[in-house]
Structures are given as C-alpha cells and as structure tokens.
Amino acid sequence: MCGIIAYSGEQKASPILFEGLKRLEYRGYDSAGIVTLDQNSELELKKDIGKVRDIHERLNLLDLEGTIGIAHTRWATHGGVTQRNAHPHVSNSAEIAVIHNGIVENYKELKAMLVSEGFHFESETDTEVIPNLIEHWMKKGLSLVEAVARTLQSLEGNFAIVVLHRASGTVIGSKNGSPLVLGIGKANSEIFIASDIPAFLDRTKDVVYLYDGDMVVVENHPKEKKRTWRIFDFRSDLEAQEELPRPVQSVSWDLEHAQLGEFDHFLVKEITEQVDTIQKAAAQDRELIENITREIKNAKGVFLVASGTSFHACLSSSYLFAKLASFHINTVLASEFSAYENFLKPETLVIAVSQSGETIDVLDAVKTAKKKNCQVVSIVNVMGSSLTQVADMTVLLNAGPEVSVLSTKTYTATLAVLTLLAYSLAGRYDEGLRKLKFLWNIVYNLTAQNTRKKIQQLADKIRNEEHIFVLGRGPLYATALEAALKIKEVSYIHAEAFAAGELKHGPIAMIKQNTICIVFVSTDTEKTILSNAMEVKSRGGYLVGIGPKPLESFDFFMKVPESDDLNPILQIIPIQILAYQLAVVLGHDPDKPRNLAKSVTVR
Ligand code: M6R
C-alpha cells in the first residue's frame, strides 16, 4: 500500500511528480507529499492529509522548485492520518528525506537507540527512523551509499523506500518485499523510481525491474547535465559491494491504459475494456499453457492460492477443473495457506494467482510452498512484480494496468486463463479457446449503453438498502461471492453471498418484506435455484435474476445469454456495472473506496 515516485532529470520535478502521484493514488490516499531539491540545494517540502488534488488546491504543489524530487501517497499503517505523519519524512538536520511503503517492524528499538543518541521525532510513524538512521550512520563516517545500506540491513519487515540526499542530489531506491521499478528516460535524460509503471508511463516505457535486496543509486552530475544509475545488493558486505547487472526492458502497456480518456472513472473504463481483455487473456502462448497442464497432471496435489477477487476466480474455476477434467484442485485463501503446510511435498504444484503480484498474503503462501520445495506457477497481471520473480513459471493476464481499486477486468481475465487451463487439462484446448473467442460479442452487449441504462434503474431502486443477499450454485456461487464483494467495496451497502442451498440453513432468517436478493441462474442450476428463489419470494423478498431467461418469480431481470462453462465470466459483468452505478449515485469515489488500497502489502 502507499505509492512512491522519484524523479531526477532536467525538467521541473514537481509537475512530473504531481502527475505521477495522481496515477499512484489507487495505492493509498490518506495523505500525500512532495519534497524537491531547489536551486539553493535546500529541501522544499509540502505535505498534507487528503487526496493529491485537494492538497494541491490548498498548498500549490507545483510551485516547488528543482529538477530532483520524491513524492508519496499514503495508506496509513503506523500513526493516524495527520499532516505530521504524511510522507516524505526528513532527518533531524534536514539532510535526508525518505518516502516509504511497508512497515518497519522493529522501529521501536531503532527509535529508542536514536533517541538515546539525541535524535528527536516529529511523527508517530515507523518511517521516520529511516532518514535519521541514515543520518546517524553518516555522522559515524559512512558514505551515503554505505549509510543507506547499513540502515536497510537493520530494518525488519517488507519495504520499498526512496532516499533523497540534500547535499549531493543523489536518489537511492531499494526494495524488500514491496514493489519498486526503475524508469529510464532516453539516454538517461531522466530517471524515475516508482511503485508502479503507470506513474511514469507518459515519459518512458523503458524499465528495470528491481529484485528484493536491490539498491539503485541515481547520481546527478549537473555540470555534465547527466545522471547515472547503478544497482547493488544492500544485503552484501559493505566493503564488497558489486554492481548488479539488470536489463532495461520495454513495456507493452500504452499510456492510454493508464488514462481516463472519454470515461469519468477508471472503474467503468476497465469494465468496458473487458471486451478486449478477455480475448487478450485467452490469447496465451499455447506451449506455456500445455507445459503447465503437464505440471498439473504430474503433480501430487495441486493448490490454487489467492486473495479477494482473485480467490473468487480460483474458486469458480475449481468447479470447472472438476467437471471438465475430473481433477480435484485445492482452492485455499492465501492468508490461510500455512495451515496446509503439512500437505506440501516437492511434487506438489502451487498456482498462485494475483492481479498485482504484490499481495503479501500470496507472497507468504509462495514462501511456504518454496520452503517445501514445491513448484510454483503464478498467474499475474503486473509483469516484473514480486510474484513473477519468485515463481517457476508465469502466465501474464495481459489486461493492461488496472487502476481502479476494484478488480474487474483482471477477474474475468483470470477466469479466462483458468478456463483455458481446465480445457487444456481435459485435452480440449482448441474448444476452450474457441468458446472464449466467442464471448466477444456478448461482452460487448453487456457493457453497452442500453444495458447500463437498464442497470441504472436497479441502482436507483436499491441505493438506500442496508442489506443485499446474493445467491448462486456451483461456479455461480463463486460469482455470488464476487458480486457481494463488488457491491460492498464501493457502495458500502452490506452485501452477503450464499451457496443457494445454504439459505434454508440459517440466512433465510434475514429475509423480510422487500429484502433485495440477487440470484445467478444457469440452465443447469435453474430448477434447484428456482426453489431457493421461491423460498425468498414467499417471504416477501425482491428478486433480481441474472441469467439466460426470466423466471416468473423475478421482480427484475438481466439477461445474460447461456454460455455453459463460461457463464461466470459473463454473469459478473452486470453486477460490476451495478456496483459502479451505486457508487456514483451515492456520491462515493468509484475508483478509491474508503479504507482500501489496490495492492495489499500488509498482513
Ligand atoms: O492483486 P491481488 O489480485 O492479489 O489482490 C487481491 C485482493 O486484494 C483484491 O482482489 C481485492 O479483493 C480487490 N479490492 C477486489 O476488488
């Protein structure tokens, strides 16, 4: 959580950092700040609580001078949402400024040591120990690079940080478990260090993916009007620091992916993009999918591991693996995976699924698997992310950057990849691919204006509800879970999903006159789900049906053509739209729901 961006170049830094911050805000938006190095070699700092645009209106972030700077948007962990706790944090003598994503687990001990050395602290954050520790080590005679390395060696916990040194203008970035990527302008004309590529995608597509332990040192040479960058491993001996070779790679993402274009919000843009993204996800390298299929067949035990929306995609697909290939896949929430440790053997295959590739619960699960020498396959949207760096094989979703905190296009892209894998396992790869290709037209209609208009009527009707219940059977039970998550994440209306057969075992007590109940129906579950729907109807519930044909008991119906095994990919789309419309009609920010962040890098 938290977004980081640093700039070192020839242009005024503050407008570039401001734009970058806006694109990183999905990572956290409690407070934000920028520090630049001005012409007099002084640090100029502005930070405050709230979203970047609002802070700019109050403080005018663009009048910060200088061509080097670092900036941060925060998702609070240690210390409340206050101006003092906002980043950047500056050392006691204002020599070192730091931005940080992650948690310094041992900050209390480090702080006590620094206090005993005469350092004072302004904030309640764990971060503030970092600039002061660097300063502490420099006072003891270490060079800047050595002091940063020594400081990083003493931190416990996951982090990504960027350091700005006032006297030299050197910028140092480092990561350990949290994301950080380097952006390289033409001929090193400008260098970026950021949490995510979209932060600088308008200026360069050339990137260097940083690995855990990497420390990139960006030095400024003002006379020669140039800058250089070198990468070391901060964990190695300070005397024996050797430069690490890291390739510069070009990303295929386009800037338009990270921009709103004609849309009001990223959420609706990304929902609409599913017309293409499902197709792109399905267009995988066949050899790769067949290799993974072989690994699945040869494995003794296969686990699908994920969190949140990605977990729902896994759960949905586990029904498909069972149905098409008579194959049992254990689907486990990443945060619960350690409980399965005793079942992990070197022959076990773990398929870790994550849009961001940075979810700490998923990375922890992979660590557990690796400890037991299991093979790990990752299914990820963000190329170069931590998960891709630890997995033995990776399938990319190719959905382009997902900016809205709500996962939508990456959910259906994950379903498309897992569907392809299930068909491949059943020896029916071509059929699976053909079916996925056929979805294009249906997705186009489901995201079209007239469908959105119809769903708007439903949003208007249910906007003031306190509770919504969602029912499904089989893979559509997973769809119900995902629908409930989408609704509550952004409308803040309590939405709860049940496997329809479970209704009578308790939840039915909640149904009263006009209780809203969304029901996902497919041809094969129609009969059974109909009786569950009637149980709701006869207690006065208001039934919203989603499926191939209207049932008599439905009060509101959204047609989604029957697509057999691919129903889950399609049936979620009307609810994604509903969630978006509820957010808009209720005056919530659809892209930045309260308390949430896009990648969850804390436990
Ligand atoms: O990046 P990941 O797929 O690992 O993220 C997992 C969850 O944090 C994520 O799906 C979350 O539930 C979203 N907010 C859902 O919209």
Side-chain angles (χ1 to χ4, degrees), residues 307-329:
S307 304
T309 287
S310 296
F311 173 75
H312 296 154
C314 294
L315 183 64
S316 178
S317 309
S318 66
Y319 289 90
L320 204 54
F321 279 91
K323 179 183 160 194
L324 290 178
S326 304
F327 199 91
H328 173 67
I329 291 217

Side-chain angles (χ1 to χ4, degrees), residues 30-35 44-51 55 58-59 61 64 72 74 76 78-90 98 122-125 127-128:
D30 294 333
S31 56
I34 300 181
V35 66
E44 273 194 67
L45 169 67
K46 290 191 181 186
K47 61 181 183 178
D48 207 347
I49 58 168
K51 292 184 179 161
I55 297 172
R58 289 196 296 274
L59 304 181
L61 294 169
L64 290 164
H72 185 271
R74 180 173 188 240
H78 286 63
V81 181
T82 64
Q83 194 267 354
R84 275 170 187 246
N85 290 339
H87 298 215
H89 289 282
V90 175
V98 165
E122 306 264 323
S123 75
E124 306 151 309
T125 64
T127 303
E128 205 183 349

Side-chain angles (χ1 to χ4, degrees), residues 499-511:
E502 283 297 292
L503 190 70
K504 57 190 179 292
H505 295 293
I508 201 160
M510 297 292 292
I511 307 295

Side-chain angles (χ1 to χ4, degrees), residues 473-494:
R473 274 180 180 264
L476 292 177
Y477 164 49
T479 311
L481 288 168
E482 174 59 9
L485 180 64
K486 286 289 89 76
I487 293 169
K488 66 187 151 204
E489 268 186 307
V490 78
S491 72
Y492 317 144
I493 297 172
H494 169 234

